[in-house]
Amino acid sequence: MTDEKASLANVNVRLAAGEDSALLAGYLRALAEEERSVELAEGEADESIAPPDDLVQRLEQHGPAGDSYFQAVIVEVDGSPKGMAMFSLAYDGLLAAPCVFMRHIFVEKEARRNKLGTAMMVALARLCLNQGWPRIDWQVRRLDFNARPFFDGLCADGFKLHRLCYRADGQALASIANLPV
């Protein structure tokens, strides 16, 4: 797909299955490599993560064939996988409903600009509507100027200044766990 655009008739988006763990691991490794190239914002810590060596086994354990901590959709062109969107459910008590948190979306470089990311987001939105899940949340790094136009095109008012995202991991997580109560 170097010079030709994918025909949407040849595009299929499907839910990932247990046997897709190695494929998902490959996409996650490629995504981690790309994220290392995104410029850091002022004051932003370098959160580059190298996926663990046993990533495939962990995905098998935690994914659709295992504990189902995450799900994924895979986009294919003419039966050949070209990308994935990984998500999980989080319960919103105020909505009294599970909502989707999309953690990762990735399309192979040579397949980009063919609406494959859009096809995955459409499939995920339809899945949400069919399941009664009222919302999809995701995060984009502020200086990821490759990803932001894509998401802005999907949801122009999606960037909410009145929302902040917090994360505690590593030492910060340990510090919280050790707070006096």
Side-chain angles (χ1 to χ4, degrees), residues 29 92 132:
R29 286 189 175 101
D92 186 312

Side-chain angles (χ1 to χ4, degrees), residues 90-113:
Y91 194 80
D92 186 312
L94 297 176
L95 293 175
C99 298
V100 166
F101 180 76
M102 185 185 63
R103 183 62 183 102
H104 304 292
I105 187 167
F106 179 82
V107 175
E108 295 174 2
K109 277 187 179 181
E110 65 277 0
R112 292 180 186 165
R113 309 285 187 261

Side-chain angles (χ1 to χ4, degrees), residues 34-155:
E34 283 189 17
E35 285 191 352
R36 284 195 256 306
S37 69
V38 174
E39 182 182 348
L40 296 176
E42 184 178 334
E44 180 182 11
D46 184 359
E47 296 178 352
S48 298
I49 296 174
D53 292 336
D54 63 344
L55 180 59
V56 173
Q57 292 79 11
R58 290 188 193 196
L59 294 176
E60 288 170 349
Q61 177 184 356
H62 300 303
D67 301 324
S68 294
Y69 290 135
F70 75 88
Q71 298 176 51
V73 292
I74 295 174
V75 65
E76 300 171 329
V77 177
D78 294 326
S80 177
K82 298 296 178 186
M84 64 91 193
M86 184 178 281
F87 63 96
S88 58
L89 296 178
Y91 194 80
D92 186 312
L94 297 176
L95 293 175
C99 298
V100 166
F101 180 76
M102 185 185 63
R103 183 62 183 102
H104 304 292
I105 187 167
F106 179 82
V107 175
E108 295 174 2
K109 277 187 179 181
E110 65 277 0
R112 292 180 186 165
R113 309 285 187 261
N114 285 292
K115 297 194 177 278
L116 300 180
T118 301
M120 287 189 286
M121 291 300 293
V122 166
L124 191 52
R126 289 177 179 169
L127 179 63
C128 287
L129 293 174
N130 290 336
Q131 296 295 322
W133 303 333
R135 187 177 70 222
I136 302 173
D137 292 315
W138 64 85
Q139 301 170 349
V140 179
R141 288 180 61 193
R142 190 167 39 145
L143 294 181
D144 189 341
F145 297 116
N146 291 319
R148 285 183 56 185
F150 168 72
F151 289 115
D152 288 343
L154 289 174
C155 186

Side-chain angles (χ1 to χ4, degrees), residues 150-166:
F150 168 72
F151 289 115
D152 288 343
L154 289 174
C155 186
D157 66 344
F159 181 68
K160 307 282 190 212
L161 290 175
H162 63 280
R163 298 266 180 213
L164 295 175
C165 175
Y166 292 89

Side-chain angles (χ1 to χ4, degrees), residues 18-29 56 59-60:
E19 59 270 11
D20 292 315
S21 294
L23 177 66
L24 294 172
Y27 288 146
L28 289 168
R29 286 189 175 101
V56 173
L59 294 176
E60 288 170 349

